[in-house]
Amino acid sequence: MGQFLQQNDVILFQGDSITDAGRNRDSGDDLGRGYAYMIAGRLSFLHAEKRLRFVNRGISGNRASDLQERWEADCLDIKPTVVSIYVGINDTWRRYDQNNPTSAEQFEQGYRDLLMRTKERLDARLIMVEPFVVPYPEDRKQWREDLDPKIAVVRELAREFGALLVPLDGLFAQACTRAEPSFWAPDGVHPSPAGHALIADAWIRTVGA
């Protein structure tokens, strides 16, 4: 596992606002202020000799179907050697704030398409990050009925495609026994600095770096 990262790897972070983290989209090198930035800093320090390159193409509000639409330009054309995908919470959220649901079957179809296109076109290693929600505010608790099947989809696809899995949902649940849920994600979804650090730590441990 320690050899997962290789010389001159191009590591692409893809996803929604949690990955986006306020990045400047006019600058292709900007990594935002979240977990992608933390991972890049830590791994560049630990593995300076590998000359790793990090790219962030997360876009706030995206669902799996949005990633499908821009996968050619924002993944395949970049030719990454490592692809990290973190998507799913908006596929749940839009059911509750816009009455625009995505079924687990639709989510699986879209996510599978991303993975298949990546496998067919790139010799890239895959990392899949579970979506999560913490029970704050109170209404987030009802989201579990929609999100849990999508988390199961991510886990099943990770097994099928031989991807590394970052098991965030359980890790955030565990973290909420140490401090209140809002400490980790003030709106139940978007991580605090501590929440981003949790994601970065889990990602780095998953790749064995």
Side-chain angles (χ1 to χ4, degrees):
M1 190 68 71
Q3 297 303 309
F4 181 84
L5 296 177
Q6 300 175 11
Q7 191 75 23
N8 299 315
D9 264 341
V10 177
I11 300 167
L12 172 66
F13 297 102
Q14 260 293 1
D16 51 38
S17 58
I18 300 173
T19 301
D20 185 333
R23 69 182 179 90
N24 178 1
R25 295 179 199 165
D26 294 327
S27 172
D29 295 326
D30 189 41
L31 295 171
R33 300 185 300 275
Y35 77 90
Y37 179 80
M38 295 178 180
I39 291 169
R42 184 66 178 163
L43 293 186
S44 295
F45 165 67
L46 290 174
H47 301 286
E49 73 286 350
K50 291 186 183 293
R51 296 295 192 269
L52 304 173
R53 180 188 169 216
F54 300 88
V55 181
N56 185 347
R57 290 295 183 270
I59 294 182
S60 181
N62 269 194
R63 295 187 275 187
S65 59
D66 298 302
L67 266 60
Q68 284 181 273
E69 291 178 4
R70 60 186 183 84
W71 205 243
E72 186 78 28
D74 284 349
C75 178
L76 303 179
D77 288 352
I78 295 170
K79 295 181 171 57
T81 55
V82 176
V83 178
S84 176
I85 307 174
Y86 183 5
V87 73
I89 191 60
N90 289 314
D91 293 85
T92 285
W93 202 339
R94 295 294 85 83
R95 169 181 172 181
Y96 297 98
D97 70 346
Q98 295 181 10
N99 193 28
N100 184 10
T102 301
S103 70
E105 292 74 20
Q106 290 171 320
F107 179 69
E108 179 179 1
Q109 182 180 20
Y111 211 138
R112 180 183 297 277
D113 177 62
L114 299 175
L115 298 170
M116 290 181 64
R117 289 159 67 188
T118 303
K119 284 287 192 180
E120 289 169 0
R121 296 275 298 278
L122 302 174
D123 182 23
R125 285 146 277 151
L126 297 171
I127 303 169
M128 296 169 61
V129 185
E130 283 182 1
F132 78 92
V133 67
V134 299
Y136 181 87
E138 185 72 17
D139 69 332
R140 301 304 191 244
K141 293 179 180 179
Q142 73 182 90
W143 290 19
R144 301 258 33 137
E145 65 174 340
D146 189 277
L147 185 63
D148 284 352
K150 294 180 173 66
I151 292 172
V153 165
V154 173
R155 293 172 180 174
E156 290 164 7
L157 288 175
R159 283 194 293 270
E160 180 179 340
F161 283 84
L164 295 184
L165 177 71
V166 184
L168 275 195
D169 192 57
L171 292 175
F172 269 93
Q174 181 185 49
C176 288
T177 67
R178 298 173 49 211
E180 65 276 10
S182 60
F183 176 83
W184 303 104
D187 64 355
V189 171
H190 294 98
S192 64
H196 275 287
L198 186 161
I199 297 170
D201 180 71
W203 196 100
I204 289 170
R205 285 188 289 110
T206 297
V207 304

